[in-house]
């Protein structure tokens, strides 16, 4: 039987050419796999037909938007997943769901190998391949751009020679990856890290310098998950989409950082993630109200590690699973409402309400009704400060 390869197919020039390129180089039959993670753009059916027209023997298309929102973005929200304190892991989160569908398609169509369009310099190749080996160790991986010398120029030449039904003239100077959780823009003039991003690179957000009137929004959470916006019930996907629109109109969630890639390179990345950034801001504040102090402090450290693991392609790994168990446990009481004002590039919390919170008005108040026993503070401080006091006395004695 002829060998079969499943290819992660976007519908763009490189992966369209990769279909024939892989077949020519390996003699294998190619099955195109297109996964909708909310990247927008063309209809899945159009993409399916193009794959077949470019020589794929089969095309597998999946609308994974709800699955992606529920099983990938929501765990990231619960973990307040931000790599290097800023990047909401847009690409790092989408690769594992694409991997899952690649594996399903490989098994369905009897493929032995998975192919993807990544270069040899980025994180995404690692996420695909480590993701594949972690859930389907029997599958091999191949990357035509990296392993079969499929350059941009050769792709254009191949597409015109074979008259593939794909645009070869539209050259975008940037490498863009987008899904419902956000959008990543890299390369081109952004590689000079002193160059400011120009207005035209953004798509999910409007310029925050000219915002519309402030937009007040109330997000209701249950166990760390958004369940309603302004009192209207929403699914996780709807919550992200609505906030992408509303926060995007105020230019919220634009990020410009130099980040550490897994392969050891520092790279300049611009992101826009209005929904993700707004949800994480709201969720963190609700955690401030509902998590016990030590649990909250400890969780912030866990979150950093969680983000690094996901960034580094360890979505399916023992430590990530263990951290998920911890994170899920912390979300038991993370329920309630957060009110925010969206304006001028920021989502600012202005109110919070929770039936399961730990904020106690009578403990906190300086007014009538104070239930906190201030006289107990004196003794507490004396004992609490004892170790530091003794250390200071020792230093004075020894150093003089
Ligand atoms: N640097 C980001 C990451 O590793 C974004 C990658 C975007 N991918 C792309 N093919 N443009 O998560």
């Amino acid at each position: 039987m002829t060998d079969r390869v499943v290819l992660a197919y976007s519908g763009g020039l490189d992966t369209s050419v990769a279909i024939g390129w892989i077949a020519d180089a390996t003699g294998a039959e190619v099955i195109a796999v297109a996964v909708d993670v909310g990247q927008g753009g063309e209809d899945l059916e159009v993409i399916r037909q193009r794959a077949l027209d470019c020589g794929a023997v089969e095309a597998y298309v999946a609308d994974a938007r709800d699955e992606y929102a529920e099983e990938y973005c929501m765990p990231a929200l619960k973990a307040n997943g931000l790599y290097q304190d800023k990047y909401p892991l847009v690409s790092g989160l989408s690769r594992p769901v694409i991997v899952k569908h690649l594996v399903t398609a490989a098994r369905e169509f009897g493929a032995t190998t998975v192919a993807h369009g990544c270069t040899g310099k980025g994180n995404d190749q690692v996420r695909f391949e480590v993701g594949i080996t972690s859930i389907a160790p029997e599958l091999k991986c191949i990357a035509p751009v990296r392993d079969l010398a499929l350059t941009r120029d050769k792709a254009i030449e191949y597409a015109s020679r074979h008259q593939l039904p794909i645009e070869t003239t539209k050259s975008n100077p940037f490498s863009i990856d987008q899904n419902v959780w956000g959008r990543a823009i890299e390369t081109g003039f952004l590689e000079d890290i002193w160059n400011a991003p120009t207005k035209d690179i953004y798509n999910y957000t409007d310029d925050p310098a000219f915002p519309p009137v402030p937009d007040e929004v109330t997000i209701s959470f249950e166990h760390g998950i958004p369940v309603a916006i302004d009192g209207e019930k929403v699914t996780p996907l709807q919550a992200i989409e609505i906030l992408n629109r509303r926060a995007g109109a105020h230019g919220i969630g634009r990020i410009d950082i130099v980040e550490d890639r897994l392969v050891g390179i520092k790279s300049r990345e611009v992101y826009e993630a209005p929904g993700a950034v707004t949800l994480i801001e709201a969720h963190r504040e609700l955690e401030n109200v509902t998590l016990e102090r030590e649990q909250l402090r400890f969780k912030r450290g866990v979150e950093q590690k969680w983000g690094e693991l996901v960034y580094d392609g360890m979505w399916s790994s023992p430590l990530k699973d263990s951290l998920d168990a911890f994170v899920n446990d912390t979300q038991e009481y993370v329920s309630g409402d957060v009110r925010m004002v969206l304006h001028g590039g920021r989502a600012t919390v202005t109110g919070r309400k929770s039936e399961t919170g730990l904020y106690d008005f009578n403990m906190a108040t300086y007014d009538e009704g104070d239930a906190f026993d201030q006289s107990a503070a004196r003794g507490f401080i004396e004992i609490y400060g004892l170790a530091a006091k003794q250390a200071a006395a020792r230093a004075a004695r020894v150093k003089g």
Side-chain angles (χ1 to χ4, degrees), residues 305-315 317 319-320 323:
K305 188 68 200 170
W306 192 96
E308 288 167 0
L309 288 170
V310 173
Y311 186 88
D312 289 347
M314 293 290 159
W315 179 268
S317 67
L319 180 55
K320 155 77 169 38
L323 298 188

Side-chain angles (χ1 to χ4, degrees), residues 83 87 89-93 95 118 122-124 127 174-178 184-187 259 261-262 267-271 311:
Y83 181 64
Y87 164 44
L89 300 163
V90 171
S91 305
L93 285 172
R95 296 309 183 262
C118 304
N123 299 312
D124 290 327
R127 296 172 183 147
F174 305 110
S175 168
I176 292 171
D177 183 45
Q178 63 189 51
I185 308 121
E186 51 183 24
T187 72
E259 78 188 22
R261 284 192 187 169
L262 178 54
S267 75
R268 204 285 184 79
E269 308 281 332
V270 175
Y271 302 105
Y311 186 88

Side-chain angles (χ1 to χ4, degrees), residues 236-254:
L237 178 64
Q238 289 167 334
I240 304 165
E241 285 174 340
I242 291 168
L243 292 168
N244 273 345
R245 206 164 357 91
R246 288 174 64 174
H250 285 272
I252 291 161
R254 290 186 174 184

